[in-house]
Amino acid sequence: MTDDTAARVLAQEGLRHIEQAILMLLDAHPSGLRNSQIADLLGLRSSIRDGQRNYLTYSVLGGLMARGEVVQDQETKFFTKS
């Protein structure tokens, strides 16, 4: 296995864990959560030159939405699809 392949496998395993953690949080908060709240609760809030950017959690939420596991309301809150 090449280093690139090993790194990809490791990243995909990590992604599955983050997805499960997000789904667990959303199940525990039926009124929904915003991306920034999810990033805070998971300790994944990022800061670039003192500007808040939470691209990782937003990207993961996008993947969950594309698969129909999560929905977003007009207030930008996310919910598990039930």
Side-chain angles (χ1 to χ4, degrees):
M1 181 181 302
T2 68
D3 287 345
D4 291 349
T5 302
R8 181 176 174 83
V9 167
L10 187 61
Q12 291 302 309
E13 289 173 8
L15 175 60
R16 281 190 294 277
H17 288 291
I18 293 171
E19 287 175 339
Q20 290 173 345
I22 288 173
L23 292 172
M24 184 183 298
L25 279 177
L26 293 176
D27 282 339
H29 294 86
S31 61
L33 292 169
R34 289 187 167 81
N35 176 51
S36 60
Q37 293 171 306
I38 293 168
D40 282 341
L41 289 167
L42 293 178
L44 296 173
R45 182 169 278 248
S46 59
S47 177
I48 300 172
R49 295 186 194 112
D50 296 326
Q52 295 300 318
R53 305 282 188 260
N54 298 307
Y55 296 128
L56 175 63
T57 50
Y58 200 70
S59 177
V60 175
L61 284 162
L64 291 169
M65 287 178 15
R67 292 197 312 268
E69 295 181 57
V70 169
V71 295
Q72 183 179 21
D73 71 5
Q74 295 172 348
E75 294 180 24
T76 69
K77 285 189 176 180
F78 295 91
F79 304 84
T80 53
K81 192 170 181 181
S82 26

